[in-house]
Amino acid sequence: MSKSKIICMSVSLVAGLLFGMGMIISDMVNPTKVIGFLNITGNWDPSLAFVMGGALAVFTPIYHFVIKKRARAVNGDKLSWASNTKIDGTLISGSLIFGAGWGLAGFCPGPAITSIAGGSNIILAFILSMIVGIILAKQYQQGRLPLPFVGYRKNICAIYTKINN
């Protein structure tokens, strides 16, 4: 195994351990806690805002003083900014679908995966459903499956290239 691969796996292992431990210790893996945080019109529980604020307080200086200055990731891949910053129907639809799943279940993907260790059948069903959702989303991205209100995804780059060539 190459030195680069060992470094990448070590960084991934440490980051995953820190992330998982942080979610469990802060109780972000508890759907009741998450739904209490999302319930801003009822019995709102603002404690997870402090968890997110604490995470940003640690991440922000590391990002600006370490990550942003790097041209390459730890594994050697080139770091680059996202090229699509447009707010369009696809982004809005995806956000609404993600938000509906998060609100209904009280989980988002990271805490759900962390919660597998608890052995709950409900969490297993959620993760299996999430995998099906990922497969369906990939089909949509490839133009094979329509979404309500958005229809089929069109490859704008391919259309733009054909028009301008």
Side-chain angles (χ1 to χ4, degrees), residues 68-90:
K68 192 173 181 180
K69 294 180 178 188
R70 296 179 62 108
R72 301 216 169 262
V74 174
N75 66 356
D77 290 347
K78 186 176 186 284
L79 293 174
S80 60
W81 294 100
S83 60
N84 182 6
T85 58
K86 183 179 174 186
I87 297 174
D88 58 8
T90 301

Side-chain angles (χ1 to χ4, degrees), residues 17-71:
L17 286 169
L18 290 171
F19 189 72
M21 286 174 24
M23 284 191 299
I24 289 170
I25 290 169
S26 66
D27 213 16
M28 286 184 76
V29 296
N30 180 353
T32 305
K33 185 89 164 165
V34 174
I35 291 171
F37 173 70
L38 296 173
N39 185 9
I40 58 173
T41 60
N43 190 17
W44 185 52
D45 178 0
S47 61
L48 292 184
F50 292 101
V51 174
M52 291 180 214
L56 285 171
V58 172
F59 173 75
T60 300
I62 291 171
Y63 172 76
H64 285 287
F65 295 118
V66 178
I67 298 170
K68 192 173 181 180
K69 294 180 178 188
R70 296 179 62 108

Side-chain angles (χ1 to χ4, degrees), residues 10 44-46 72 93 102 124 128 137 149:
S10 299
W44 185 52
D45 178 0
R72 301 216 169 262
S93 296
W102 188 19
L124 181 60
L128 291 174
F149 309 110

Side-chain angles (χ1 to χ4, degrees), residues 94-106:
S95 300
L96 292 172
I97 292 167
F98 178 85
W102 188 19
L104 288 170

